[in-house]
């Protein structure tokens, strides 16, 4: 056995057998912001053999306070988070495989990201996508670990479709837009990220090494600032649950078409056409050259015009900063990228 893992192998519930299971394990991380970056680092150091990292965003200076995989250089170079994470993980553990995917996770692609792995970790920041993860994982019978953090508060729950309550058994309806605090309105401190990630990744290691008897089997809620720890025991799945009871996958079965989303705390909107072919970034940069300031790297083109900043990725997706109005963002996209 590799000496690198000797301290973890000495921990008897893992041992040599558990370490081999980790080496053969495949995990998808949805989102590589604060929670996802922490999941990625812990699982890579622990020797999980295959990590797929899916993230739609690029590194910015405001991420560095809590997104522990990234550096000032990544922010300066405007690297997509999935790529910056892969680069950093290669320095930490060159023996594992990392599949970096720069994409928006939506109903058209999520099944392809989760169908060939053993476990999925939630590192996202909104309920819309969590319900989508829940739909895909219930449909494909994949174990997934919900996690959320905002301000000094966080929550997590491990979901085995069919055996435990699913996300929708517990949170039947999506919170109304604007009703829940977000990183935008409430901020977030790094220690709650570390706390939630610690529980999620410990659960992941238990699942992957066959220590399911040690899972916490609860909805855990923590507030590290107000010193509040709660553990709500979970019972059985709800037979009337729309998702795991009736197998009605509302979020997966959404209509095809363009996706737009206002990004949390960014004064920005993402426009994600699902039908477009990949974009030739060099051609786009040439086309925009005379209209404003253009910067390009291997993964994206950034274009500043007036009060707006447009970042276009290879998959034709764009993040438009300077507005949180979807219709304005759409018109900017149509004008400069095309429809
Ligand atoms: Zn359910």
């Amino acid at each position: 056995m590799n000496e690198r893992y000797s301290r973890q192998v000495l921990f008897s519930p893992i041992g040599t057998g558990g370490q081999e299971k980790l080496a053969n394990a495949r995990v998808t991380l949805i989102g590589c912001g604060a929670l996802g970056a922490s999941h990625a680092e812990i699982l890579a150091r622990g020797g999980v053999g295959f990590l797929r990292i899916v993230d739609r965003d690029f590194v910015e200076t405001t991420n560095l306070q809590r997104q522990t995989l990234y550096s000032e250089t990544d922010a300066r170079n405007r690297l997509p988070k999935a790529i910056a994470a892969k680069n950093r993980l290669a320095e930490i553990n060159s023996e594992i495989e990392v599949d970096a995917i720069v994409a928006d996770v939506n109903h058209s692609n999520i099944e392809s990201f989760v169908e060939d792995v053993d476990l999925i970790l939630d590192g996202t920041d909104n309920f819309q996508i969590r319900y989508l993860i829940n739909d895909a994982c219930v449909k494909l019978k994949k174990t997934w670990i919900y996690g959320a953090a905002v301000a000094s508060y966080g929550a997590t729950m491990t979901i085995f479709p069919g055996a435990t309550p699913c996300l929708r058994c517990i949170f039947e309806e999506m919170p109304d837009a604007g009703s829940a605090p977000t990183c935008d309105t409430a901020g977030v401190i790094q220690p709650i990220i570390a706390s939630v990630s610690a529980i999620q990744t410990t659960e992941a290691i238990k699942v992957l090494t066959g220590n399911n008897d040690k899972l916490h089997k609860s909805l855990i809620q923590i507030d590290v600032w107000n010193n509040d720890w709660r553990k709500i025991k979970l019972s059985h799945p709800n037979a009337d649950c729309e998702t795991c009871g009736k197998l009605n996958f509302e979020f997966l079965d959404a209509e095809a078409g363009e996706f737009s989303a206002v990004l949390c705390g960014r004064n920005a909107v993402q426009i994600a056409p699902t039908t477009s072919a990949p974009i030739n970034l060099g051609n786009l940069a040439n086309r925009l050259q005379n209209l404003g300031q253009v910067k390009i790297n291997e993964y994206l083109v950034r274009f500043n015009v007036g009060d707006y900043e447009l970042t276009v990725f290879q998959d034709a997706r764009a993040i438009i900063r300077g507005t949180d109005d979807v219709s304005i963002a759409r018109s900017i996209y149509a004008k400069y990228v095309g429809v």
Side-chain angles (χ1 to χ4, degrees):
M1 181 51 64
N2 195 326
E3 198 180 35
R4 170 196 290 264
Y5 305 114
S6 60
R7 299 305 185 276
Q8 186 165 281
V9 167
L10 273 174
F11 180 67
S12 60
I14 296 181
T16 315
Q19 195 60 50
E20 275 166 20
K21 286 179 184 159
L22 292 177
N24 294 319
R26 299 170 61 83
V27 176
T28 289
L29 309 178
I30 309 248
C32 203
L35 280 174
S38 177
H39 301 152
E41 177 166 359
I42 291 170
L43 297 182
R45 287 188 190 275
V48 170
F50 174 86
L51 292 176
R52 175 176 293 130
I53 298 176
V54 193
D55 192 280
R56 65 185 179 186
D57 215 343
F58 50 86
V59 181
E60 295 186 287
T61 311
T62 56
N63 303 147
L64 301 181
Q65 161 255 352
R66 64 196 178 285
Q67 305 191 13
T68 50
L69 278 183
Y70 309 129
S71 67
E72 291 181 1
T73 309
D74 297 328
R76 246 192 324 272
N77 292 340
R78 302 176 165 83
L79 279 188
K81 289 182 183 176
I83 303 295
K86 184 184 165 104
N87 293 347
R88 175 69 183 132
L89 294 175
E91 293 175 339
I92 290 172
N93 189 347
S94 59
E95 297 171 4
I96 63 161
E97 185 186 345
V98 176
D99 179 21
I101 298 178
V102 184
D104 183 48
V105 175
N106 57 52
H107 69 81
S108 73
N109 59 19
I110 186 164
E111 291 182 59
S112 70
F113 298 143
V114 306
E115 65 192 357
D116 60 348
V117 298
D118 306 304
L119 181 68
I120 295 93
L121 264 68
D122 170 21
T124 68
D125 63 359
N126 68 84
F127 256 84
Q128 183 83 32
I129 192 158
R130 290 190 186 110
Y131 281 123
L132 186 64
I133 297 172
N134 193 56
D135 268 13
C137 289
V138 169
K139 182 179 174 188
L140 299 171
K141 299 188 172 58
K142 296 287 179 181
T143 305
W144 76 282
I145 305 178
Y146 154 68
V150 64
S152 59
Y153 165 86
T156 178
M157 176 168 96
T158 302
I159 295 163
F160 287 82
T164 69
C166 79
L167 188 72
R168 205 122 183 244
C169 290
I170 305 292
F171 304 106
E172 210 172 311
E173 297 295 333
M174 195 166 340
D176 289 337
S179 70
T182 65
C183 300
D184 187 8
T185 55
V188 61
I189 57 172
Q190 214 286 335
I192 188 58
I193 303 293
S195 305
V196 172
S197 171
I199 299 170
Q200 285 181 284
T201 50
T202 309
E203 291 278 284
I205 292 168
K206 291 173 190 171
V207 170
L208 297 174
T209 57
N211 285 288
N212 288 10
D213 57 318
K214 289 291 187 184
L215 295 168
H216 61 66
K217 302 178 181 70
S218 313
L219 171 63
I220 290 184
Q221 298 174 320
I222 324 170
D223 190 324
V224 290
W225 196 264
N226 297 305
N227 313 308
D228 193 13
W229 282 262
R230 283 171 210 212
K231 199 170 151 202
I232 301 158
K233 273 282 167 208
L234 298 176
S235 56
H236 299 291
N238 173 5
D240 295 326
C241 170
E242 208 56 48
T243 310
C244 72
K246 299 178 186 168
L247 302 180
N248 175 19
F249 304 119
E250 279 177 50
F251 297 87
L252 264 186
D253 297 339
E255 292 288 313
E258 177 204 84
F259 300 97
S260 52
V262 178
L263 301 181
C264 169
R266 300 273 301 277
N267 188 28
V269 174
Q270 174 187 256
I271 302 287
T274 51
T275 48
S276 284
I279 277 191
N280 182 318
L281 294 177
N283 289 351
L284 176 67
N286 286 340
R287 213 150 37 83
L288 297 174
Q289 206 71 257
N290 301 323
L291 303 171
Q293 192 194 356
V294 178
K295 287 190 174 139
I296 180 168
N297 68 27
E298 204 181 326
Y299 310 101
L300 55 84
V301 168
R302 179 167 296 190
F303 174 57
N304 286 81
V305 61
D307 296 333
Y308 304 109
E309 180 187 86
L310 188 67
T311 303
V312 185
F313 297 85
Q314 260 162 348
D315 61 2
R317 206 160 42 82
I319 293 175
I320 293 113
R321 189 146 65 172
T323 182
D324 52 15
D325 182 327
V326 170
S327 57
I328 292 176
R330 277 212 182 101
S331 71
I332 293 169
Y333 184 91
K335 187 169 175 189
Y336 296 109
V337 186
V339 277

